[in-house]
Amino acid sequence: MGSRFTAGVALVALVVAITAAIFAIHSATSNGAPAAPAAAAPAAPQGGPVPATLVGAWKEVATPTVVMIMSGTDFALSGGALTGVGKVAVNGSEIDFYNGSGCGLALPGGVGRYRWTFAAGLLTFTPLNTDPCPRANNMGDPQGWQQI
């Protein structure tokens, strides 16, 4: 009978502990201080999707194994030491590359701003800032890019 009594007391203590834990959790979530507002995410560069002239696959003239694909507000780079995807925003003749997976810098960092021109079948990018990402060496190639 002693072991039954001890087991019963232990069971009651366990139920009381579980009930107290449930009330404590409920009290903390419903009566706690209001959560701090989430910090606003840094704004993406202003602009829209790539124009029809830039949509498609491009190979770098100096290093033809480096390929870039642009569509909508996305870009992908592959070849050489480059591999990654990211976002673009086009505002007139300015194109901003950002959130590149191969860069590792989140907004507001990691933005490469370029002036783009398309003439005689070549797409060229002229840097407007110091692009902190690995794509910089290829993007600023004066020989440009040819559509595939």
Side-chain angles (χ1 to χ4, degrees), residues 7-142:
V9 170
L11 182 58
V12 170
L14 182 59
V15 169
V16 168
I18 291 172
T19 303
I22 290 171
F23 282 119
I25 292 169
H26 177 71
S27 175
T29 58
S30 63
N31 295 333
Q46 295 296 307
V50 295
T53 305
L54 302 182
V55 172
W58 300 84
K59 67 178 178 178
E60 186 180 7
V61 173
T63 313
T65 58
V66 175
V67 174
M68 175 174 49
I69 300 171
M70 293 187 285
S71 178
T73 57
D74 299 311
F75 79 93
L77 275 169
S78 182
L82 299 172
T83 301
V85 297
K87 294 292 190 182
V88 294
V90 179
N91 191 355
S93 62
E94 180 176 327
I95 184 167
D96 299 336
F97 294 86
Y98 65 100
N99 282 357
S101 62
C103 182
L105 295 174
L107 286 173
V111 177
R113 299 185 193 295
Y114 296 86
R115 176 97 37 232
W116 67 272
T117 56
F118 183 71
L122 286 178
L123 173 62
T124 56
F125 299 99
T126 304
L128 297 175
N129 72 334
T130 302
D131 188 341
C133 299
R135 65 181 167 246
N137 291 335
N138 300 86
M139 299 306 294
D141 179 3

